[in-house]
Amino acid sequence: MQARNASVDATASIQQGKRYFLCNAGRSSTVPGIAADVFAQVRDKCPTECLDGVTDALYGENHRRYLAVALDYSVQWNKVMLTACR
């Protein structure tokens, strides 16, 4: 995932008609990079999907590093996706 560009991937997804936010799973799903009040205004226009392996449980150092990369990727993805979901 580190080698991927979230902005490019999100733009390609929008062009394919696939619009959704990436969530951060935990006790409650949040949408990284989007303020809660803004997300409340657009959540009916685009669903959320969580990346595989994103959870509130931690399964070691490699998983911790993956979660950090997944969070950064989700923030960038969501910022691009927000423009398509308004």
Side-chain angles (χ1 to χ4, degrees), residues 12-58:
S13 182
I14 292 166
Q15 291 171 346
Q16 295 171 6
K18 299 175 188 173
R19 292 173 172 83
Y20 57 91
F21 293 107
L22 292 176
C23 65
N24 188 19
R27 295 179 196 263
S28 64
S29 293
T30 59
V31 179
I34 308 294
D37 61 324
V38 173
F39 180 65
Q41 296 170 11
V42 297
R43 68 176 166 218
D44 293 334
K45 296 178 183 171
C46 292
T48 58
E49 295 184 16
C50 292
L51 294 171
D52 289 338
V54 174
T55 176
D56 62 346
L58 186 59

